[in-house]
Amino acid sequence: GSAATVIERNTSFSTLNSDDVSYFKELLGEKSVVEDEDVLLTANTDWMRKYKGSSKLLLQPKTTHEVSQILKYCNSRCLPVVPQGGNTGLVGGSVPVFDEVIINMGSMNNIISLDKVSGILVCEAGCILENLISFLDNHGFIMPLDLGAKGSCQIGGNVSTNAGGLRLVRYGSLHGTVLGLEAVLANGDVIDMLGTLRKDNTGYDLKHLFIGSEGSLGIVTKVSILTPPKLSSVNLAFLACVDYFSCQKLLVEAKMRLGDILSAFEFLDNQSMDLVLNHLEGARNPLSSSMHNFYVLIETTGSDESYDKEKLEAFLLSSMEGGLISDGVLAQDINQASSFWRIREGVPEALMKAGAVYKYDLSIPVEKMYDLVDEMRIRMGQTAKVIAYGHLGDGNLHLNISAPQYDDKILAQIEPYVYEWTSEHKGSISAEHGLGLMKANKIFYSKSPETVQVMGSIKKLLDPNGILNPYKVLPQSLSSYH
Ligand code: FAD
Ligand code: 2HG
Ligand code: ZN
């Protein structure tokens, strides 16, 4: 009932020996070659404690050259590796399946430059997202992405998963904001695509292959990213809606009437709220009555305090009068705003505390999205709770099934039904978390066989021995070639 898929170790891979360890110590220095059992246990285990590998070695390169030397050596020895950032990934992609060597990027955490005219930030892949946010804040800029895992996740991990998060509705995906990358291929070749230009149509834009490929094509070592200016006026409203249709209508209205300042549109249902209130210490419902069916967070970001507030208030008033929202409150200060965000961002943590969880991260046309949730509640009956929330502004549903413990019978109630439903509605079975180990064999629900075949050819070209994050992303038939 947990990781479920049965996978066999690729027999063409070799096994780590003492000569390998000596080579790495010589290359990186003793301190960057970690064999400590406690450290390895943590690095072998994913954030959900659902996926566990058995790697015996973790390497901490400090430079691109070191990453290059590591990969060149591993490739020649046919030693498989897992690139690891903050290990906050939710699809089992960031931990080994068997004994793969873990390449932890945390020591490559230098900020290289910030161009204060263009807002272009260049940094190493191991920079923690929250540190970049603070650094930019001091210089009058913000990161174009923000997510609940910001305290641990790294920009290299964000890029490798093409993380979406809370601001995508305003600033778009990393395919738009990442201007350049440096990546190291399986054979150790360093590919310098670290451009800092908004426009550059010279040939194939290869950086896009590394955005969202989850460490299966190369290790991202540096990133250049366009950061928007920090605007002075940020407002956050926490609202209640009686039904899902109202949430949907509210979104359409918000896009139309607040479009120029809208910076987030998130939703959670009452089951998500209950979970947060029951499991997160100090959390309380910002709205006096707890009898609401749906909650929506609307954030605006603009440059004129009084104009922005007036605009948002007028919007809320007319939405209230029109019956789209049944209750609501505007954050009065930054502390209140973070307590509102804590509720939304705290759902994954609350789910962890509640027991076993089956996660589905789906893109579904907004009109149809909640139909799936209703259907799942009927399917699951009393055996498990169905928790629904997500980035409504982007058509991204986080459907979580929460149960006291993992159970194959529960899994069989969920899969393949959820994937089939999503595919029939022309959705995506991975909106923002990637495929990892969890969904490597499910790719066909969202991509045609011809498309997957081309992906396989690209993988083979860039990583002929298949050493980079094996068993992940692509179906086993394509990724374990010999
Ligand atoms: P890891 O988990 O370490 O790795 C993720 C994948 O990227 C793995 O396949 C790994 O091999 C690969 N990888 C990591 N670094 C590199 C590198 N330098 N080069 C090549 N490959 C690399 N995701 C969203 O999209 N939106 C959200 O709103 C969101 N919220 C979250 C909230 C919480 C509480 C948690 C726990 C997770 C959330 N996530 C979200 C998922 C996760 O945080 C993101 O996918 C994040 O981008 C992963 O970054 P990381 O550094 O932790 O990467
Ligand atoms: C979020 O938006 C994350 O909170 C996590 O993407 C979603 O845990 C999940 O299902
Ligand atoms: Zn999300």
Side-chain angles (χ1 to χ4, degrees):
S2 56
T5 329
V6 179
I7 296 171
E8 279 174 31
R9 190 179 183 278
N10 184 337
T11 50
S12 66
F13 291 152
S14 48
T15 307
L16 191 77
N17 62 34
S18 56
D19 288 348
D20 300 326
V21 177
S22 305
Y23 174 83
F24 293 128
K25 285 186 175 163
E26 183 74 21
L27 176 69
L28 308 172
E30 299 260 344
K31 268 213 216 126
S32 304
V33 179
V34 182
E35 294 173 280
D36 179 82
E37 281 186 14
D38 292 339
V39 178
L40 280 166
L41 181 63
T42 306
N44 269 305
T45 313
D46 81 321
W47 188 84
M48 298 179 288
R49 279 174 253 120
K50 195 168 182 172
Y51 297 90
K52 280 197 176 76
S54 50
S55 176
K56 300 272 178 288
L57 192 70
L58 179 146
L59 304 175
Q60 291 183 305
K62 294 174 288 300
T63 62
T64 302
H65 179 70
E66 287 183 353
V67 174
S68 163
Q69 295 297 104
I70 292 170
L71 287 183
K72 192 172 170 190
Y73 180 84
C74 289
N75 195 43
S76 69
R77 278 271 296 124
C78 241
L79 273 176
V81 303
V82 180
Q84 189 173 75
N87 197 10
T88 67
L90 297 172
V91 289
S94 53
V95 292
V97 180
F98 299 102
D99 55 348
E100 298 89 284
V101 173
I102 300 169
I103 304 183
N104 180 288
M105 297 303 289
S107 298
M108 288 187 66
N109 60 356
N110 292 306
I111 292 173
I112 298 164
S113 64
L114 170 67
D115 180 329
K116 289 181 197 150
V117 176
S118 61
I120 296 165
L121 172 77
V122 182
C123 66
E124 289 182 326
C127 290
I128 289 175
L129 179 59
E130 195 162 54
N131 294 345
L132 295 177
I133 293 174
S134 316
F135 169 81
L136 288 171
D137 189 70
N138 290 332
H139 292 90
F141 293 91
I142 62 166
M143 282 299 275
L145 83 160
D146 186 17
L147 40 124
K150 59 180 148 261
S152 310
C153 67
Q154 301 173 1
I155 190 67
N158 299 148
V159 166
S160 302
T161 55
N162 187 25
L166 308 162
R167 292 181 181 157
L168 187 137
V169 72
R170 171 73 163 261
Y171 300 110
S173 92
L174 290 170
H175 282 290
T177 50
V178 170
L179 301 182
L181 287 181
E182 178 188 81
V184 183
L185 301 185
N187 65 5
D189 282 359
V190 178
I191 309 295
D192 179 358
M193 304 165 286
L194 199 61
T196 52
L197 305 169
R198 283 305 296 276
K199 304 181 77 172
D200 175 18
N201 284 353
T202 48
Y204 309 138
D205 199 344
L206 293 184
K207 69 170 180 284
H208 291 293
L209 280 179
F210 298 89
I211 303 175
S213 54
E214 304 175 63
S216 65
L217 298 180
I219 297 194
V220 175
T221 44
K222 295 192 183 96
V223 176
S224 141
I225 185 164
L226 184 64
T227 73
K230 181 188 173 192
L231 303 181
S232 57
S233 128
V234 180
N235 286 295
L236 181 64
F238 197 95
L239 311 167
C241 297
V242 279
D243 52 22
Y244 179 71
F245 187 66
S246 306
C247 300
Q248 190 189 307
K249 269 189 90 181
L250 191 67
L251 171 63
V252 175
E253 291 287 317
K255 280 188 173 168
M256 218 150 57
R257 295 186 46 194
L258 299 174
D260 55 337
I261 52 171
L262 187 68
S263 52
F265 194 107
E266 294 286 318
F267 93 113
L268 53 149
D269 65 5
N270 58 0
Q271 299 273 342
S272 313
M273 176 63 97
D274 283 351
L275 198 83
V276 167
L277 297 179
N278 288 333
H279 293 281
L280 288 197
E281 210 171 310
R284 61 170 206 94
N285 189 339
L287 302 176
S288 44
S289 155
S290 58
M291 299 301 288
H292 304 290
N293 291 322
F294 291 90
Y295 299 91
V296 168
L297 284 91
I298 295 184
E299 187 195 68
T300 63
T301 303
S303 54
D304 187 322
E305 190 66 52
S306 54
Y307 166 89
D308 292 355
K309 200 153 195 181
E310 234 169 73
K311 195 168 175 168
L312 178 59
E313 281 172 347
F315 173 75
L316 296 179
L317 191 65
S318 72
S319 303
M320 192 84 90
E321 282 166 1
L324 284 189
I325 53 182
S326 50
D327 198 359
V329 54
L330 260 180
Q332 294 306 311
D333 54 41
I334 208 160
N335 292 332
Q336 205 176 12
S338 27
S339 72
F340 292 1
W341 275 124
R342 170 88 180 124
I343 292 172
R344 165 59 187 85
E345 291 181 287
V347 187
E349 194 184 322
L351 279 159
M352 279 304 298
K353 294 194 172 151
V357 60
Y358 299 88
K359 282 189 183 295
Y360 300 91
D361 161 39
L362 312 166
S363 275
I364 298 177
V366 173
E367 313 87 272
K368 295 272 177 233
M369 188 187 276
Y370 212 76
D371 293 354
L372 174 61
V373 181
D374 289 332
E375 286 187 35
M376 287 314 291
R377 290 218 165 100
I378 295 168
R379 280 183 79 80
M380 303 316 294
Q382 298 302 309
T383 54
K385 285 192 182 135
V386 179
I387 310 290
Y389 63 104
H391 315 286
L392 195 64
D394 314 322
N396 181 184
L397 171 69
H398 290 311
L399 174 74
N400 281 254
I401 315 283
S402 168
Q405 60 262 314
Y406 291 110
D407 178 345
D408 282 339
K409 283 204 214 86
I410 293 181
L411 186 62
Q413 283 290 97
I414 311 171
E415 297 182 21
Y417 185 82
V418 165
Y419 295 132
E420 285 170 358
W421 197 99
T422 304
S423 184
E424 276 159 26
H425 290 84
K426 308 244 177 306
S428 169
I429 59 148
S430 178
E432 60 171 9
H433 295 162
L435 296 165
L437 179 63
M438 179 192 182
K439 291 175 278 190
N441 289 313
K442 317 284 185 211
I443 192 168
F444 295 107
Y445 286 107
S446 289
K447 291 278 152 60
S448 72
E450 294 78 9
T451 310
V452 177
Q453 203 62 48
V454 176
M455 291 186 195
S457 307
I458 293 174
K459 169 76 177 168
K460 202 160 188 170
L461 176 73
L462 297 186
D463 179 18
N465 296 323
I467 62 160
L468 281 166
N469 219 358
Y471 324 106
K472 321 277 177 64
V473 189
L474 292 179
Q476 252 193 306
S477 55
L478 279 177
S479 57
S480 54
Y481 37 75
H482 310 293

